[in-house]
Structures are given as structure tokens and as C-alpha cells.
Amino acid sequence: MLLISIPKAQQKLAANIKALRLAQGLTQEGLAERADVSLPTLRKFEQKGVLSLLSFVKLCMALGCLEKVLEATAVSQPQFSSIDDVLKGQKAATPKRGWKK
């Protein structure tokens, strides 16, 4: 598990999106139009890392990285090295809901 603060994670995501934009030769105006996100919203995101989830998804889709984001947030399947590992893994059922705190 990577220990990173939320503001640093936001800044890193913004920097990654900006790098993708520049690698594809897009201006802020071009990406904002292509993603159907307002230019001030994109500028604020690139400067401060603040953005709604909907706008983030739109930007990822426009830049062609949405599949990678979805894969990165998917629940990973356990890797088994023997039949014993498979049998041990079967007894833990996946919860359908989270716990209330």
C-alpha cells in the first residue's frame, strides 16, 4: 500500500492527465472541448487537482485512458500456486455489502 496524502494524489492525477494531454499534442482548449468539460474546470484541475468524478471520467475517456483507470480500480483475483491454495480461498465468501461504522 502506497502512503500518499490526498492532496498529493490529486496533484499526481492532475500531472498525469496534463502529461497525457501534452503527449497527444492537445491544448487545454482542445481537450476541454473534446471532453465536454469547461476550460476553467480543466485549468483548475491542472493547477490544483480539484475536479468532479464525472469530469475526470470525461477527461480520461477523451484521452483514451479510461480503460486503464477502470482496470486499476478493479478487484484483483487471487493468484493460486497450488490446489491447496484454491481450496483455502474458497471458504472466504465475498461480502455483498460493507459494514456500517
Side-chain angles (χ1 to χ4, degrees):
M1 179 176 182
L2 183 63
L3 298 177
I4 186 170
S5 68
I6 291 173
K8 285 187 181 182
Q10 289 174 293
Q11 289 173 346
K12 183 64 177 165
L13 286 169
N16 290 348
I17 293 295
K18 182 177 181 178
L20 282 169
R21 174 180 66 76
L22 293 172
Q24 293 182 21
L26 292 169
T27 62
Q28 286 181 330
E29 294 84 1
L31 177 57
E33 184 177 324
R34 183 181 285 188
D36 192 28
V37 172
S38 73
L39 182 56
T41 295
L42 177 58
R43 285 185 176 152
K44 182 177 178 182
F45 176 57
E46 287 190 358
Q47 292 171 0
K48 299 182 181 183
V50 177
L51 189 70
S52 73
L53 179 58
L54 176 61
S55 294
F56 182 73
V57 169
K58 287 179 176 182
L59 290 173
C60 290
M61 186 175 289
L63 291 169
C65 64
L66 184 57
E67 288 295 322
K68 289 181 181 180
V69 172
L70 294 173
E71 288 173 17
T73 58
V75 176
S76 62
Q77 298 298 321
Q79 299 294 321
F80 301 112
S81 60
S82 70
I83 190 67
D84 291 330
D85 290 344
V86 173
L87 295 173
K88 288 177 190 174
Q90 288 179 346
K91 61 183 169 184
T94 304
K96 301 294 182 200
R97 296 187 209 174
W99 290 93
K100 246 185 179 179
K101 287 192 175 193

